Amino acid sequence: MGAVERFEIIRVEGGVSRTVQDTLVVDHELVLFLNGQPSATFSCTPADLEELVCGHLFAQGLISSKGDLHKLAISGSRADVVLRLGGGAVPRDKGWPLPGQKISFRAQELFQAMEWFGGQSALFAATGGVHSSALWHLNGQRIFLEDIGRHNAVDKVLGRALLAEWDLSQCALLTSGRVPGELIEKALNTGVQVIVSRSAPMTRAVERARKHGLTLCGFVRGERMNIYSGAERVLV
């Protein structure tokens, strides 16, 4: 299944109507069965589904490595996952992040990251219908993925990083969407310390980020940003 389809539509512009071909994003339904029980339903693009499922489980704190997966099979609109006994992530709450794990980025590097990020999505350029997310590793490695849902896009990059065994404490998580409190929970479960968005954070996200010492930057556009939490990790 492709990520886009073409539809014939009527476009009205400048007082004139005409028939044109428009490119739309395909929305695919995927139902996750976890240990045989229905667990979640995703409305998503039909690409990078393994990453979506793994990232969702990782971000929810249900797994901490690909070794926690006993089985992962995706067929059509169904994903079946069986977890290994005794696997799973260790909840991170009080005392997180651990001493010695803190990292820092130059402000100019985050501006550079978001400039790169903004030019990556050919799918958005063609359709205007997707969100994007990326991981910007201090060692120069990058992951970029997209989806019709901003949470899905984040889960996809987290899933790809999990499968590649990245250390997410060394990454900035980039997102095109608003930052709700749920995104802070994903960071706490996966080890991400720095979140950078070209959009706005919500109040609960700021409160949770400040409570746990995460760095949260919003409205990062051009050479301007708002730092809502964890300013010590951004070197100006």
Side-chain angles (χ1 to χ4, degrees):
M1 183 186 299
V4 299
E5 290 184 8
R6 300 279 287 174
F7 283 79
E8 187 175 278
I9 66 166
I10 303 298
R11 178 167 294 160
V12 178
E13 186 175 13
V16 177
S17 65
R18 58 192 175 99
T19 301
V20 299
Q21 292 288 317
D22 196 27
T23 304
L24 302 181
V25 180
V26 173
D27 53 330
H28 176 67
E29 183 175 279
L30 183 69
V31 182
L32 170 62
F33 287 80
L34 182 60
N35 296 331
Q37 299 298 315
S39 176
T41 299
F42 306 96
S43 179
C44 55
T45 53
D48 308 302
L49 297 181
E50 183 176 340
E51 286 87 345
L52 173 61
V53 170
C54 290
H56 169 76
L57 296 172
F58 188 24
Q60 295 300 312
L62 297 174
I63 63 174
S64 60
S65 73
K66 63 181 180 181
D68 292 330
L69 300 169
H70 176 67
K71 172 189 174 183
L72 170 58
I74 300 175
S75 179
S77 295
R78 178 174 176 132
D80 284 283
V81 172
V82 178
L83 301 183
R84 294 189 186 279
L85 293 177
V90 178
R92 307 188 190 201
D93 197 348
K94 294 182 179 179
W96 189 96
L98 298 176
Q101 286 189 327
K102 289 190 175 182
I103 60 170
S104 61
F105 288 88
R106 301 185 313 277
Q108 197 62 41
E109 184 177 9
L110 295 181
F111 296 144
Q112 177 189 354
M114 290 303 282
E115 181 180 4
W116 165 85
F117 180 62
Q120 291 301 299
S121 181
L123 188 55
F124 181 82
T127 67
V130 294
H131 282 282
S132 305
S133 186
L135 286 166
W136 181 274
H137 199 293
L138 280 173
N139 67 10
Q141 291 181 289
R142 312 285 181 252
I143 294 173
F144 175 91
L145 290 168
E146 51 203 348
D147 196 273
I148 55 176
R150 68 182 190 274
H151 287 286
N152 292 348
V154 169
D155 287 349
K156 283 183 176 182
V157 296
L158 294 175
R160 181 162 292 181
L162 176 86
L163 293 170
E165 300 183 322
W166 279 29
D167 178 1
L168 292 186
S169 71
Q170 301 301 300
C171 300
L173 175 64
L174 314 180
T175 176
S176 62
R178 300 183 305 278
V179 181
E182 292 89 339
L183 187 50
I184 305 303
E185 301 306 316
K186 292 177 190 285
L188 292 174
N189 284 326
T190 60
V192 170
Q193 298 181 47
V194 179
I195 298 173
V196 183
S197 174
R198 64 182 176 212
S199 191
M202 306 293 98
T203 57
R204 193 163 69 90
V206 174
E207 291 165 358
R208 293 287 286 166
R210 289 181 176 181
K211 177 181 178 181
H212 293 283
L214 276 72
T215 296
L216 175 56
C217 304
F219 294 108
V220 185
R221 304 171 184 179
E223 296 202 356
R224 174 186 178 273
M225 72 169 77
N226 293 343
I227 304 175
Y228 295 89
S229 174
E232 69 276 7
R233 289 194 191 87
V234 181
L235 307 178
V236 179

